[in-house]
Amino acid sequence: MPAAIRARGLEKRFKSVHALRGIDLDIEQGEFFALLGPNGAGKTTFISILAGLTRATAGRAEVMGHDVARDYREARRQLGVVPQELVFDPFFTVRESLCFQSGYFGLRRNDAWIDELLLHLGLADKADTNMRRLSGGMKRRVLVAQALVHRPPVIVLDEPTAGVDVELRQSLWAFVRRLNREGHTILLTTHYLEEAEALCERVAMLKEGRVVALDRTADLLGAAGERRLELKLAPARLPASLEGRLVACSGDRYCLALPDYAELESILATLRQADVTVEEMALTQADLEDVFVRVMREAGG
Amino acid sequence: MSGFRMLLHKEILRFWKVMLQTVAAPVLTALLYLLIFSHVLEAHVEVYPGVGYSAFLMPGLIMMSVLQNAFANSSSSLIQSKITGNIVFVLLPPFSHLEFLLAYLLAAMARGLLVGLGVAAVGLLFTDLPLAHPAWLLAYALSASAVFGCIGIFAGIWADKFDHLAGVQNFVIMPLTFLSGVFYSIHSLPPFWQAVSHLNPVFYMIDGFRYGFFGVSDVSPWLGMAIVLPSAALLTLAAWLLLRSGYKLRH
Ligand SMILES: Nc1ncnc2c1ncn2[C@@H]1O[C@H](COP(=O)(O)OP(=O)(O)O)[C@@H](O)[C@H]1O
Ligand SMILES: [Mg+2]
């Protein structure tokens, strides 16, 4: 079974910018995968190469085993892309836009699926509205529908929820989850790390055109040092033997690293011996944002 | 069905939906030329024996409208899509380069020919036209509109903004079409300007087209076709190569 998406030594140079500096990545069929990274990291460039909107300077990329340059027609048939920019054709209505997109992929009688898309994306009552007259959120939904109109096995969403209201985000993710359950591979870029954390099984982090982290979401989160013990102490004083664990403190609140739950017992014992009372206590797990910040810091640059 | 037919359909619908600007307006412009020039010159100019000036003027006006509108269609469609960004909708699907090219080219030709028909129909209300060689008419209309449809594709891909396109329109398309014998026979020009006109491919398009109506022309229709048809073929090939290279469309 070929990988849904495969990149090998993928590089892209624009005139003055080295946007991708050798990307190696495999995304298996059926995965829900997040590509994260700060602005300018190269996420959109990576997606553009997959879609044939940009040509790689070096290296190669495949979609479902089809080379995006040599076998571009088959590669594009396998791929549905929701572009980052909110683009639309002002000449046409929602339904016309979808029929055209469907026809471009060689599908003529596709009305049942188009109706289903309209329904699931909350566009049913806008089907005959001109694209110009839709709000930004509605246009975004049409972009999603356009990407899905040929039922591509691999779906790429480039920041689909940027500037989108909560309701649409919820319904969009419910729909994309369903597609993923039905076997579609999903590649997602987003600025909302909590979305990636909730949705994606695996995450790659990109910085300045390089993959700086690539792992299962659970493993990234569970990595040692990411668990925390938050304490409110009276008096506000931390015994010297615990200072090595200190991650942050403000006033009488202390945040300690807790790599292993078994250590909780000894920490509390140390506090008791030092006559420090624990007034409040909470165990927290690092979220993807913490991991992201740490990875980006450690990746230097 | 292949995606090609849908892209062609979309490109045709694009101008069809705004026919007032894309078809009716150029027909009106041509009609104004016809009325004004023939009013001024009818009594004074007889280019070919037995052919009145307004009849003489008609083929040139029709051809000029065909060319300008074929150019306008492909160039404006491409630049609009590039500027609004919705060009991604036609870059993402699995079109071959040839399908992409032919869809834009045939739609451009369709608009050019439609405007040409409109100018002919309206012109016939004011003047009579013989129809000596319909096959030559068709051959010239098709090959000449293909040439300008291709030039429109080049311009649309190359231009980054509407200003660039207006530049091509004003400094290339307009001079080429106006200085090609639309309003006069080049035999009435001084020898130097006659020689210059022979370097203008549009001269052969209009001259050959005129032959289709009157059976007389400045040069042989075969010579004209030997210039126009290979030009169309070469430009089509060049446009295909340009699309294949990804120039400006696929970084
Ligand atoms: N068409 C282009 N021409 C020149 N530079 C570009 C172009 N597209 C992207 N870049 C540059 O490439 C880098 C990566 O951009 P991009 O892939 O859009 O990042 P991201 O999507 O992660 O925010 C940025 O420095 C950006 O300025
Ligand atoms: Mg981006």
Side-chain angles (χ1 to χ4, degrees), chain A residues 52 55 73 88 101 104 108, chain B residues 5 86 89 94 245 250:
Chain A
R55 288 175 182 176
R73 301 188 73 174
F88 60 97
Q101 211 59 28
Y104 295 164
R108 212 216 290 250
Chain B
R5 275 168 51 194
N86 64 39
F89 299 142
S245 78
R250 299 181 194 272

Side-chain angles (χ1 to χ4, degrees), chain A residues 69-272:
Chain A
R70 255 180 301 119
D71 194 7
Y72 70 94
R73 301 188 73 174
E74 204 43 52
R76 281 185 213 163
R77 247 177 228 123
Q78 309 289 330
L79 191 65
V81 177
V82 182
Q84 181 176 354
E85 304 294 331
L86 205 55
V87 293
F88 60 97
D89 193 330
F91 277 92
F92 300 116
T93 67
V94 173
R95 185 181 290 281
E96 282 171 331
S97 299
L98 295 177
C99 287
F100 284 127
Q101 211 59 28
S102 175
Y104 295 164
F105 283 87
L107 306 168
R108 212 216 290 250
R109 284 184 222 308
N110 200 12
D111 292 329
W113 176 237
I114 288 176
D115 284 334
E116 204 177 325
L117 284 172
L118 290 171
L119 189 70
H120 282 290
L121 289 163
L123 287 165
D125 58 336
K126 299 274 191 264
D128 298 314
T129 306
N130 187 286
M131 288 299 302
R132 253 187 314 234
R133 312 236 321 272
L134 296 185
S135 67
M138 286 292 169
K139 286 186 184 124
R140 180 70 70 185
R141 295 178 200 217
V142 178
L143 276 181
V144 175
Q146 277 175 288
L148 298 178
V149 83
H150 58 295
R151 295 178 187 257
V154 182
I155 300 167
V156 177
L157 302 112
D158 198 357
E159 304 201 19
T161 48
V164 151
D165 57 87
V166 179
E167 189 201 348
L168 169 58
R169 272 203 236 171
Q170 301 283 336
S171 63
L172 179 63
W173 291 136
F175 188 49
V176 174
R177 266 201 165 115
R178 199 192 100 185
L179 291 166
N180 180 239
R181 272 198 307 276
E182 290 170 0
H184 294 265
T185 309
I186 314 286
L187 169 61
L188 162 76
T189 80
T190 177
H191 266 119
Y192 302 98
L193 293 160
E194 66 275 21
E195 284 182 349
E197 182 175 337
L199 292 162
C200 300
E201 314 164 306
R202 226 152 56 95
V203 170
M205 293 185 188
L206 223 56
K207 183 179 183 183
E208 290 164 12
R210 287 196 184 85
V211 176
V212 290
L214 171 63
D215 208 340
R216 299 177 53 77
T217 316
D219 293 341
L220 278 174
L221 294 172
E226 303 299 354
R227 218 173 285 123
R228 306 261 189 273
L229 176 65
E230 288 179 9
L231 298 168
K232 183 176 181 228
L233 300 179
R237 160 166 68 79
L238 195 66
S241 62
L242 292 180
E243 262 166 22
R245 296 182 176 273
L246 188 64
V247 178
C249 98
S250 75
D252 55 358
R253 291 181 183 274
Y254 295 81
C255 179
L256 307 182
L258 184 68
D260 192 343
Y261 284 122
E263 294 167 280
L264 183 59
E265 195 61 38
S266 75
I267 293 174
L268 294 178
T270 310
L271 289 169
R272 209 178 315 115

Side-chain angles (χ1 to χ4, degrees), chain B residues 88-122:
Chain B
V88 296
F89 299 142
V90 294
L91 294 179
L92 290 173
F95 298 121
S96 70
H97 305 302
L98 186 64
E99 287 175 328
F100 192 94
L101 166 62
L102 287 182
Y104 279 86
L105 182 56
L106 292 176
M109 292 168 68
R111 165 146 157 224
L113 297 178
L114 189 64
V115 174
L117 276 176
V119 175
V122 174

Side-chain angles (χ1 to χ4, degrees), chain B residues 122-181:
Chain B
V122 174
L124 283 173
L125 301 175
F126 297 88
T127 179
D128 274 336
L129 265 183
L131 201 58
H133 304 289
W136 276 120
L137 277 188
L138 198 63
Y140 271 97
L142 290 174
S143 52
S145 61
V147 167
F148 274 67
C150 279
I151 299 177
I153 291 176
F154 294 130
I157 291 176
W158 165 76
D160 295 323
K161 40 186 184 175
F162 285 103
D163 287 358
H164 291 161
L165 213 53
V168 177
Q169 185 104 39
N170 294 329
F171 294 103
V172 182
I173 303 302
M174 291 300 267
L176 276 182
T177 50
F178 271 92
L179 302 176
S180 59

Side-chain angles (χ1 to χ4, degrees), chain B residues 12-247:
Chain B
I12 288 177
L13 205 59
R14 199 193 66 88
F15 73 76
W16 194 268
K17 277 196 168 192
V18 285
M19 212 179 224
L20 203 63
Q21 302 157 43
T22 54
V23 180
V27 169
L28 180 65
T29 307
L31 177 65
L32 292 175
Y33 280 126
L34 180 70
L35 295 180
I36 292 166
F37 278 86
S38 57
H39 174 75
V40 175
L41 296 174
E42 182 72 62
H44 310 284
V45 181
E46 192 187 55
V47 184
Y48 299 130
V51 177
Y53 182 73
S54 25
F56 170 83
L57 187 56
M58 276 286 288
L61 278 181
I62 296 171
M63 184 51 100
M64 189 173 81
S65 308
V66 170
L67 302 182
Q68 288 180 349
N69 284 280
F71 171 84
N73 201 68
S74 47
S75 60
S76 66
S77 175
L78 282 165
I79 193 142
Q80 270 174 13
S81 298
K82 279 181 8 179
I83 286 178
T84 57
N86 64 39
I87 191 121
V88 296
F89 299 142
V90 294
L91 294 179
L92 290 173
F95 298 121
S96 70
H97 305 302
L98 186 64
E99 287 175 328
F100 192 94
L101 166 62
L102 287 182
Y104 279 86
L105 182 56
L106 292 176
M109 292 168 68
R111 165 146 157 224
L113 297 178
L114 189 64
V115 174
L117 276 176
V119 175
V122 174
L124 283 173
L125 301 175
F126 297 88
T127 179
D128 274 336
L129 265 183
L131 201 58
H133 304 289
W136 276 120
L137 277 188
L138 198 63
Y140 271 97
L142 290 174
S143 52
S145 61
V147 167
F148 274 67
C150 279
I151 299 177
I153 291 176
F154 294 130
I157 291 176
W158 165 76
D160 295 323
K161 40 186 184 175
F162 285 103
D163 287 358
H164 291 161
L165 213 53
V168 177
Q169 185 104 39
N170 294 329
F171 294 103
V172 182
I173 303 302
M174 291 300 267
L176 276 182
T177 50
F178 271 92
L179 302 176
S180 59
V182 175
F183 299 104
Y184 50 84
S185 161
I186 64 158
H187 285 157
S188 59
L189 294 176
F192 173 77
W193 289 106
Q194 271 193 41
V196 170
S197 296
H198 277 108
L199 298 176
N200 179 357
V202 182
F203 157 72
Y204 299 95
M205 296 173 185
I206 287 177
D207 196 54
F209 197 58
R210 216 173 257 148
Y211 181 85
F213 285 102
F214 305 124
V216 273
S217 53
D218 290 352
V219 302
S220 153
W222 292 101
L223 170 66
M225 193 43 71
I227 289 167
V228 178
L229 194 61
S231 304
L234 273 178
L235 289 172
T236 307
L237 178 68
W240 180 77
L241 289 171
L242 190 73
L243 286 171
R244 206 183 57 154
S245 78
Y247 174 73

